[in-house]
mmCIF file of all heavy atoms in Angstrom:
data_model
loop_
_atom_site.group_PDB
_atom_site.id
_atom_site.type_symbol
_atom_site.label_atom_id
_atom_site.label_comp_id
_atom_site.label_asym_id
_atom_site.label_seq_id
_atom_site.Cartn_x
_atom_site.Cartn_y
_atom_site.Cartn_z
ATOM 1 N N ALA A 187 -5.122 -117.595 113.355
ATOM 2 C CA ALA A 187 -4.016 -118.200 113.944
ATOM 3 C C ALA A 187 -3.095 -118.902 112.857
ATOM 4 O O ALA A 187 -1.858 -118.835 112.983
ATOM 5 C CB ALA A 187 -4.488 -119.268 114.942
ATOM 6 N N THR A 188 -3.748 -119.451 111.934
ATOM 7 C CA THR A 188 -2.950 -120.076 110.781
ATOM 8 C C THR A 188 -2.227 -119.041 110.027
ATOM 9 O O THR A 188 -0.991 -119.161 109.696
ATOM 10 C CB THR A 188 -3.926 -120.891 109.869
ATOM 11 O OG1 THR A 188 -4.566 -121.859 110.636
ATOM 12 C CG2 THR A 188 -3.146 -121.490 108.687
ATOM 13 N N TRP A 189 -2.919 -118.011 109.638
ATOM 14 C CA TRP A 189 -2.313 -116.879 108.915
ATOM 15 C C TRP A 189 -1.099 -116.246 109.654
ATOM 16 O O TRP A 189 -0.068 -116.050 109.096
ATOM 17 C CB TRP A 189 -3.347 -115.785 108.562
ATOM 18 C CG TRP A 189 -2.753 -114.668 107.827
ATOM 19 C CD1 TRP A 189 -2.333 -113.463 108.207
ATOM 20 C CD2 TRP A 189 -2.478 -114.580 106.393
ATOM 21 N NE1 TRP A 189 -1.888 -112.690 107.321
ATOM 22 C CE2 TRP A 189 -1.972 -113.291 106.090
ATOM 23 C CE3 TRP A 189 -2.678 -115.484 105.335
ATOM 24 C CZ2 TRP A 189 -1.578 -112.892 104.802
ATOM 25 C CZ3 TRP A 189 -2.283 -115.052 104.058
ATOM 26 C CH2 TRP A 189 -1.792 -113.757 103.811
ATOM 27 N N CYS A 190 -1.327 -115.984 110.983
ATOM 28 C CA CYS A 190 -0.315 -115.296 111.748
ATOM 29 C C CYS A 190 0.821 -116.193 112.143
ATOM 30 O O CYS A 190 1.781 -115.688 112.687
ATOM 31 C CB CYS A 190 -0.938 -114.680 112.993
ATOM 32 S SG CYS A 190 -2.170 -113.361 112.584
ATOM 33 N N SER A 191 0.769 -117.460 111.919
ATOM 34 C CA SER A 191 1.832 -118.395 112.218
ATOM 35 C C SER A 191 2.977 -118.186 111.253
ATOM 36 O O SER A 191 4.100 -118.658 111.569
ATOM 37 C CB SER A 191 1.321 -119.820 112.277
ATOM 38 O OG SER A 191 0.988 -120.280 110.946
ATOM 39 N N GLN A 192 2.790 -117.582 110.191
ATOM 40 C CA GLN A 192 3.838 -117.370 109.132
ATOM 41 C C GLN A 192 4.558 -116.016 109.427
ATOM 42 O O GLN A 192 3.834 -115.039 109.791
ATOM 43 C CB GLN A 192 3.167 -117.275 107.809
ATOM 44 C CG GLN A 192 2.435 -118.607 107.390
ATOM 45 C CD GLN A 192 1.718 -118.443 106.026
ATOM 46 O OE1 GLN A 192 2.332 -118.251 105.043
ATOM 47 N NE2 GLN A 192 0.357 -118.512 106.154
ATOM 48 N N PRO A 193 5.887 -115.918 109.331
ATOM 49 C CA PRO A 193 6.588 -114.713 109.581
ATOM 50 C C PRO A 193 6.033 -113.542 108.768
ATOM 51 O O PRO A 193 5.802 -113.635 107.577
ATOM 52 C CB PRO A 193 7.966 -114.995 109.189
ATOM 53 C CG PRO A 193 8.081 -116.479 109.227
ATOM 54 C CD PRO A 193 6.684 -117.002 108.849
ATOM 55 N N GLY A 194 5.790 -112.429 109.433
ATOM 56 C CA GLY A 194 5.374 -111.192 108.789
ATOM 57 C C GLY A 194 3.886 -111.078 108.496
ATOM 58 O O GLY A 194 3.436 -110.131 107.940
ATOM 59 N N HIS A 195 3.172 -112.136 108.815
ATOM 60 C CA HIS A 195 1.777 -112.169 108.515
ATOM 61 C C HIS A 195 0.956 -111.743 109.810
ATOM 62 O O HIS A 195 1.294 -112.131 110.949
ATOM 63 C CB HIS A 195 1.313 -113.586 108.094
ATOM 64 C CG HIS A 195 1.742 -113.894 106.742
ATOM 65 N ND1 HIS A 195 1.027 -114.750 105.937
ATOM 66 C CD2 HIS A 195 2.802 -113.573 106.039
ATOM 67 C CE1 HIS A 195 1.652 -114.950 104.762
ATOM 68 N NE2 HIS A 195 2.817 -114.231 104.846
ATOM 69 N N PHE A 196 -0.030 -110.915 109.571
ATOM 70 C CA PHE A 196 -0.827 -110.366 110.691
ATOM 71 C C PHE A 196 -2.177 -109.987 110.245
ATOM 72 O O PHE A 196 -2.478 -109.894 109.071
ATOM 73 C CB PHE A 196 -0.115 -109.344 111.481
ATOM 74 C CG PHE A 196 0.036 -107.986 110.801
ATOM 75 C CD1 PHE A 196 -0.871 -106.994 110.991
ATOM 76 C CD2 PHE A 196 1.060 -107.845 109.973
ATOM 77 C CE1 PHE A 196 -0.697 -105.796 110.350
ATOM 78 C CE2 PHE A 196 1.337 -106.624 109.339
ATOM 79 C CZ PHE A 196 0.382 -105.589 109.524
ATOM 80 N N VAL A 197 -3.107 -109.865 111.166
ATOM 81 C CA VAL A 197 -4.482 -109.333 110.907
ATOM 82 C C VAL A 197 -4.477 -107.828 111.196
ATOM 83 O O VAL A 197 -4.114 -107.356 112.231
ATOM 84 C CB VAL A 197 -5.442 -110.092 111.848
ATOM 85 C CG1 VAL A 197 -6.876 -109.564 111.573
ATOM 86 C CG2 VAL A 197 -5.445 -111.577 111.747
ATOM 87 N N LEU A 198 -4.833 -107.081 110.128
ATOM 88 C CA LEU A 198 -4.816 -105.607 110.162
ATOM 89 C C LEU A 198 -5.962 -105.016 110.938
ATOM 90 O O LEU A 198 -7.100 -105.283 110.540
ATOM 91 C CB LEU A 198 -4.674 -105.042 108.785
ATOM 92 C CG LEU A 198 -4.636 -103.534 108.653
ATOM 93 C CD1 LEU A 198 -3.318 -103.030 109.184
ATOM 94 C CD2 LEU A 198 -4.685 -103.227 107.167
ATOM 95 N N ASP A 199 -5.695 -104.207 111.926
ATOM 96 C CA ASP A 199 -6.730 -103.595 112.756
ATOM 97 C C ASP A 199 -7.325 -102.356 112.031
ATOM 98 O O ASP A 199 -7.077 -101.220 112.461
ATOM 99 C CB ASP A 199 -6.214 -103.256 114.127
ATOM 100 C CG ASP A 199 -7.321 -102.770 115.056
ATOM 101 O OD1 ASP A 199 -8.508 -102.738 114.660
ATOM 102 O OD2 ASP A 199 -6.945 -102.397 116.146
ATOM 103 N N THR A 200 -8.152 -102.592 110.933
ATOM 104 C CA THR A 200 -8.759 -101.483 110.251
ATOM 105 C C THR A 200 -9.881 -100.752 111.064
ATOM 106 O O THR A 200 -10.338 -99.737 110.715
ATOM 107 C CB THR A 200 -9.434 -102.023 108.905
ATOM 108 O OG1 THR A 200 -10.208 -103.151 109.238
ATOM 109 C CG2 THR A 200 -8.309 -102.383 108.014
ATOM 110 N N ASN A 201 -10.218 -101.305 112.167
ATOM 111 C CA ASN A 201 -11.200 -100.622 113.102
ATOM 112 C C ASN A 201 -10.493 -99.455 113.736
ATOM 113 O O ASN A 201 -11.138 -98.505 114.150
ATOM 114 C CB ASN A 201 -11.713 -101.656 114.130
ATOM 115 C CG ASN A 201 -12.838 -101.075 114.875
ATOM 116 O OD1 ASN A 201 -13.762 -100.498 114.352
ATOM 117 N ND2 ASN A 201 -12.863 -101.342 116.157
ATOM 118 N N ASN A 202 -9.191 -99.559 113.962
ATOM 119 C CA ASN A 202 -8.447 -98.477 114.682
ATOM 120 C C ASN A 202 -7.263 -97.800 113.872
ATOM 121 O O ASN A 202 -6.633 -96.947 114.338
ATOM 122 C CB ASN A 202 -7.866 -98.999 116.001
ATOM 123 C CG ASN A 202 -8.987 -99.355 116.886
ATOM 124 O OD1 ASN A 202 -9.861 -98.525 117.323
ATOM 125 N ND2 ASN A 202 -9.028 -100.631 117.323
ATOM 126 N N VAL A 203 -7.096 -98.326 112.695
ATOM 127 C CA VAL A 203 -6.010 -97.768 111.780
ATOM 128 C C VAL A 203 -6.647 -97.110 110.620
ATOM 129 O O VAL A 203 -7.504 -97.724 109.957
ATOM 130 C CB VAL A 203 -4.948 -98.872 111.392
ATOM 131 C CG1 VAL A 203 -3.938 -98.351 110.354
ATOM 132 C CG2 VAL A 203 -4.298 -99.584 112.594
ATOM 133 N N SER A 204 -6.267 -95.883 110.311
ATOM 134 C CA SER A 204 -6.867 -95.103 109.285
ATOM 135 C C SER A 204 -6.568 -95.674 107.908
ATOM 136 O O SER A 204 -5.520 -96.252 107.684
ATOM 137 C CB SER A 204 -6.448 -93.615 109.277
ATOM 138 O OG SER A 204 -5.132 -93.550 108.910
ATOM 139 N N LYS A 205 -7.476 -95.418 107.028
ATOM 140 C CA LYS A 205 -7.306 -95.887 105.559
ATOM 141 C C LYS A 205 -6.028 -95.118 105.021
ATOM 142 O O LYS A 205 -5.280 -95.712 104.265
ATOM 143 C CB LYS A 205 -8.514 -95.444 104.663
ATOM 144 C CG LYS A 205 -8.388 -95.779 103.235
ATOM 145 C CD LYS A 205 -9.520 -95.198 102.392
ATOM 146 C CE LYS A 205 -9.418 -95.499 100.999
ATOM 147 N NZ LYS A 205 -8.055 -95.313 100.379
ATOM 148 N N GLU A 206 -5.808 -93.858 105.391
ATOM 149 C CA GLU A 206 -4.627 -93.117 104.954
ATOM 150 C C GLU A 206 -3.315 -93.828 105.376
ATOM 151 O O GLU A 206 -2.356 -93.854 104.613
ATOM 152 C CB GLU A 206 -4.662 -91.705 105.431
ATOM 153 C CG GLU A 206 -5.844 -90.903 104.742
ATOM 154 C CD GLU A 206 -7.153 -91.094 105.370
ATOM 155 O OE1 GLU A 206 -7.236 -91.730 106.453
ATOM 156 O OE2 GLU A 206 -8.185 -90.670 104.843
ATOM 157 N N LEU A 207 -3.290 -94.266 106.676
ATOM 158 C CA LEU A 207 -2.121 -94.945 107.066
ATOM 159 C C LEU A 207 -2.005 -96.299 106.333
ATOM 160 O O LEU A 207 -0.819 -96.657 106.020
ATOM 161 C CB LEU A 207 -2.097 -95.216 108.647
ATOM 162 C CG LEU A 207 -0.938 -95.949 109.227
ATOM 163 C CD1 LEU A 207 0.389 -95.368 108.848
ATOM 164 C CD2 LEU A 207 -1.092 -95.988 110.753
ATOM 165 N N VAL A 208 -3.044 -96.985 106.112
ATOM 166 C CA VAL A 208 -2.908 -98.291 105.404
ATOM 167 C C VAL A 208 -2.472 -98.004 104.027
ATOM 168 O O VAL A 208 -1.575 -98.710 103.476
ATOM 169 C CB VAL A 208 -4.338 -98.995 105.394
ATOM 170 C CG1 VAL A 208 -4.252 -100.169 104.444
ATOM 171 C CG2 VAL A 208 -4.704 -99.418 106.790
ATOM 172 N N ASP A 209 -2.950 -96.968 103.369
ATOM 173 C CA ASP A 209 -2.494 -96.572 101.960
ATOM 174 C C ASP A 209 -1.051 -96.286 101.985
ATOM 175 O O ASP A 209 -0.311 -96.736 101.127
ATOM 176 C CB ASP A 209 -3.337 -95.453 101.430
ATOM 177 C CG ASP A 209 -4.722 -95.764 101.094
ATOM 178 O OD1 ASP A 209 -5.010 -96.989 101.000
ATOM 179 O OD2 ASP A 209 -5.608 -94.826 100.992
ATOM 180 N N ALA A 210 -0.524 -95.537 103.004
ATOM 181 C CA ALA A 210 0.899 -95.160 103.087
ATOM 182 C C ALA A 210 1.745 -96.464 103.204
ATOM 183 O O ALA A 210 2.823 -96.590 102.570
ATOM 184 C CB ALA A 210 1.158 -94.242 104.239
ATOM 185 N N LEU A 211 1.292 -97.373 104.006
ATOM 186 C CA LEU A 211 2.035 -98.591 104.219
ATOM 187 C C LEU A 211 2.038 -99.521 102.927
ATOM 188 O O LEU A 211 3.056 -100.062 102.603
ATOM 189 C CB LEU A 211 1.402 -99.468 105.361
ATOM 190 C CG LEU A 211 1.507 -98.832 106.699
ATOM 191 C CD1 LEU A 211 0.583 -99.498 107.726
ATOM 192 C CD2 LEU A 211 3.007 -98.888 107.265
ATOM 193 N N VAL A 212 0.959 -99.553 102.203
ATOM 194 C CA VAL A 212 0.857 -100.250 100.927
ATOM 195 C C VAL A 212 1.650 -99.560 99.897
ATOM 196 O O VAL A 212 2.563 -100.282 99.226
ATOM 197 C CB VAL A 212 -0.635 -100.343 100.432
ATOM 198 C CG1 VAL A 212 -0.670 -100.953 98.999
ATOM 199 C CG2 VAL A 212 -1.415 -101.317 101.377
ATOM 200 N N ASP A 213 1.539 -98.245 99.782
ATOM 201 C CA ASP A 213 2.314 -97.516 98.737
ATOM 202 C C ASP A 213 3.899 -97.585 98.948
ATOM 203 O O ASP A 213 4.605 -97.519 98.044
ATOM 204 C CB ASP A 213 1.897 -96.003 98.762
ATOM 205 C CG ASP A 213 0.500 -95.832 98.255
ATOM 206 O OD1 ASP A 213 -0.102 -96.775 97.702
ATOM 207 O OD2 ASP A 213 -0.061 -94.705 98.425
ATOM 208 N N SER A 214 4.258 -97.718 100.206
ATOM 209 C CA SER A 214 5.731 -97.850 100.528
ATOM 210 C C SER A 214 6.267 -99.277 100.382
ATOM 211 O O SER A 214 7.362 -99.527 100.578
ATOM 212 C CB SER A 214 6.009 -97.264 101.952
ATOM 213 O OG SER A 214 5.445 -98.130 102.873
ATOM 214 N N GLY A 215 5.290 -100.209 100.090
ATOM 215 C CA GLY A 215 5.695 -101.599 100.026
ATOM 216 C C GLY A 215 5.903 -102.211 101.398
ATOM 217 O O GLY A 215 6.397 -103.361 101.404
ATOM 218 N N THR A 216 5.469 -101.591 102.474
ATOM 219 C CA THR A 216 5.696 -102.142 103.773
ATOM 220 C C THR A 216 4.671 -103.331 104.053
ATOM 221 O O THR A 216 5.082 -104.299 104.692
ATOM 222 C CB THR A 216 5.487 -101.051 104.805
ATOM 223 O OG1 THR A 216 6.423 -100.006 104.566
ATOM 224 C CG2 THR A 216 5.731 -101.571 106.221
ATOM 225 N N ILE A 217 3.504 -103.264 103.507
ATOM 226 C CA ILE A 217 2.535 -104.364 103.631
ATOM 227 C C ILE A 217 1.920 -104.657 102.238
ATOM 228 O O ILE A 217 1.857 -103.802 101.435
ATOM 229 C CB ILE A 217 1.428 -104.068 104.719
ATOM 230 C CG1 ILE A 217 0.528 -102.915 104.267
ATOM 231 C CG2 ILE A 217 2.025 -103.896 106.077
ATOM 232 C CD1 ILE A 217 -0.692 -102.725 105.197
ATOM 233 N N THR A 218 1.431 -105.882 102.231
ATOM 234 C CA THR A 218 0.577 -106.225 101.095
ATOM 235 C C THR A 218 -0.675 -106.832 101.667
ATOM 236 O O THR A 218 -0.617 -107.561 102.620
ATOM 237 C CB THR A 218 1.241 -107.296 100.134
ATOM 238 O OG1 THR A 218 1.598 -108.409 100.974
ATOM 239 C CG2 THR A 218 2.371 -106.737 99.433
ATOM 240 N N VAL A 219 -1.855 -106.380 101.178
ATOM 241 C CA VAL A 219 -3.210 -106.837 101.662
ATOM 242 C C VAL A 219 -3.591 -107.958 100.774
ATOM 243 O O VAL A 219 -3.708 -107.943 99.542
ATOM 244 C CB VAL A 219 -4.152 -105.639 101.537
ATOM 245 C CG1 VAL A 219 -5.522 -106.077 102.153
ATOM 246 C CG2 VAL A 219 -3.646 -104.451 102.398
ATOM 247 N N SER A 220 -3.890 -109.120 101.481
ATOM 248 C CA SER A 220 -4.430 -110.249 100.795
ATOM 249 C C SER A 220 -5.886 -110.151 100.502
ATOM 250 O O SER A 220 -6.508 -109.222 100.868
ATOM 251 C CB SER A 220 -4.140 -111.554 101.642
ATOM 252 O OG SER A 220 -5.084 -111.660 102.644
ATOM 253 N N ASP A 221 -6.483 -111.160 99.894
ATOM 254 C CA ASP A 221 -7.950 -111.117 99.593
ATOM 255 C C ASP A 221 -8.682 -111.751 100.791
ATOM 256 O O ASP A 221 -9.847 -111.690 100.857
ATOM 257 C CB ASP A 221 -8.235 -111.949 98.367
ATOM 258 C CG ASP A 221 -7.717 -111.377 97.105
ATOM 259 O OD1 ASP A 221 -7.649 -110.105 97.097
ATOM 260 O OD2 ASP A 221 -7.437 -112.082 96.175
ATOM 261 N N GLY A 222 -7.934 -112.308 101.832
ATOM 262 C CA GLY A 222 -8.660 -112.890 102.886
ATOM 263 C C GLY A 222 -9.000 -111.905 104.020
ATOM 264 O O GLY A 222 -8.370 -110.887 104.190
ATOM 265 N N TYR A 223 -9.996 -112.255 104.741
ATOM 266 C CA TYR A 223 -10.485 -111.547 105.924
ATOM 267 C C TYR A 223 -10.824 -112.462 107.033
ATOM 268 O O TYR A 223 -11.163 -113.602 106.785
ATOM 269 C CB TYR A 223 -11.712 -110.784 105.515
ATOM 270 C CG TYR A 223 -11.514 -109.538 104.635
ATOM 271 C CD1 TYR A 223 -11.370 -109.659 103.321
ATOM 272 C CD2 TYR A 223 -11.423 -108.315 105.180
ATOM 273 C CE1 TYR A 223 -11.206 -108.572 102.530
ATOM 274 C CE2 TYR A 223 -11.169 -107.186 104.395
ATOM 275 C CZ TYR A 223 -11.067 -107.360 103.041
ATOM 276 O OH TYR A 223 -10.851 -106.232 102.317
ATOM 277 N N VAL A 224 -10.755 -111.819 108.231
ATOM 278 C CA VAL A 224 -11.202 -112.516 109.477
ATOM 279 C C VAL A 224 -12.411 -111.639 110.006
ATOM 280 O O VAL A 224 -12.240 -110.444 110.181
ATOM 281 C CB VAL A 224 -10.120 -112.663 110.426
ATOM 282 C CG1 VAL A 224 -10.650 -113.243 111.804
ATOM 283 C CG2 VAL A 224 -8.992 -113.537 109.903
ATOM 284 N N HIS A 225 -13.432 -112.326 110.461
ATOM 285 C CA HIS A 225 -14.579 -111.545 111.067
ATOM 286 C C HIS A 225 -14.505 -111.704 112.510
ATOM 287 O O HIS A 225 -14.329 -112.774 113.055
ATOM 288 C CB HIS A 225 -15.954 -112.073 110.463
ATOM 289 C CG HIS A 225 -17.135 -111.330 111.063
ATOM 290 N ND1 HIS A 225 -17.498 -110.134 110.569
ATOM 291 C CD2 HIS A 225 -17.995 -111.568 112.042
ATOM 292 C CE1 HIS A 225 -18.475 -109.693 111.227
ATOM 293 N NE2 HIS A 225 -18.824 -110.649 112.130
ATOM 294 N N SER A 226 -14.613 -110.522 113.224
ATOM 295 C CA SER A 226 -14.662 -110.616 114.600
ATOM 296 C C SER A 226 -15.516 -109.420 115.123
ATOM 297 O O SER A 226 -15.281 -108.263 114.773
ATOM 298 C CB SER A 226 -13.259 -110.458 115.258
ATOM 299 O OG SER A 226 -13.319 -110.456 116.681
ATOM 300 N N GLY A 227 -16.534 -109.755 115.982
ATOM 301 C CA GLY A 227 -17.423 -108.683 116.455
ATOM 302 C C GLY A 227 -18.180 -108.084 115.252
ATOM 303 O O GLY A 227 -18.759 -108.773 114.415
ATOM 304 N N TYR A 228 -18.104 -106.779 115.110
ATOM 305 C CA TYR A 228 -18.760 -106.063 113.931
ATOM 306 C C TYR A 228 -17.784 -105.740 112.831
ATOM 307 O O TYR A 228 -18.133 -105.032 111.884
ATOM 308 C CB TYR A 228 -19.345 -104.714 114.462
ATOM 309 C CG TYR A 228 -20.472 -104.917 115.453
ATOM 310 C CD1 TYR A 228 -20.188 -104.740 116.860
ATOM 311 C CD2 TYR A 228 -21.716 -105.305 115.063
ATOM 312 C CE1 TYR A 228 -21.268 -104.923 117.692
ATOM 313 C CE2 TYR A 228 -22.688 -105.572 115.940
ATOM 314 C CZ TYR A 228 -22.447 -105.337 117.278
ATOM 315 O OH TYR A 228 -23.431 -105.541 118.203
ATOM 316 N N CYS A 229 -16.578 -106.295 112.842
ATOM 317 C CA CYS A 229 -15.556 -105.921 111.882
ATOM 318 C C CYS A 229 -15.075 -107.142 111.057
ATOM 319 O O CYS A 229 -15.120 -108.223 111.562
ATOM 320 C CB CYS A 229 -14.371 -105.344 112.662
ATOM 321 S SG CYS A 229 -14.806 -103.829 113.529
ATOM 322 N N ASP A 230 -14.745 -106.812 109.832
ATOM 323 C CA ASP A 230 -13.994 -107.693 108.991
ATOM 324 C C ASP A 230 -12.508 -107.156 108.866
ATOM 325 O O ASP A 230 -12.335 -105.976 108.404
ATOM 326 C CB ASP A 230 -14.636 -107.743 107.614
ATOM 327 C CG ASP A 230 -15.928 -108.526 107.611
ATOM 328 O OD1 ASP A 230 -16.033 -109.423 108.371
ATOM 329 O OD2 ASP A 230 -16.796 -108.153 106.902
ATOM 330 N N TYR A 231 -11.603 -107.876 109.321
ATOM 331 C CA TYR A 231 -10.209 -107.530 109.322
ATOM 332 C C TYR A 231 -9.455 -108.148 108.160
ATOM 333 O O TYR A 231 -9.476 -109.437 108.191
ATOM 334 C CB TYR A 231 -9.573 -107.894 110.679
ATOM 335 C CG TYR A 231 -10.176 -107.147 111.883
ATOM 336 C CD1 TYR A 231 -10.954 -107.881 112.678
ATOM 337 C CD2 TYR A 231 -9.993 -105.793 112.162
ATOM 338 C CE1 TYR A 231 -11.555 -107.297 113.858
ATOM 339 C CE2 TYR A 231 -10.499 -105.228 113.248
ATOM 340 C CZ TYR A 231 -11.281 -105.995 114.113
ATOM 341 O OH TYR A 231 -11.800 -105.412 115.235
#
């Protein structure tokens, strides 16, 4: 909630989004991945 309160910040759904798509988004400069994670269920997002 704290992270997402800032414009453009969100929790990435790596449980349903492929690594290849994440790589394409990073390579195009569309997203930057921080060092932070949120744990929910069996996943770290």
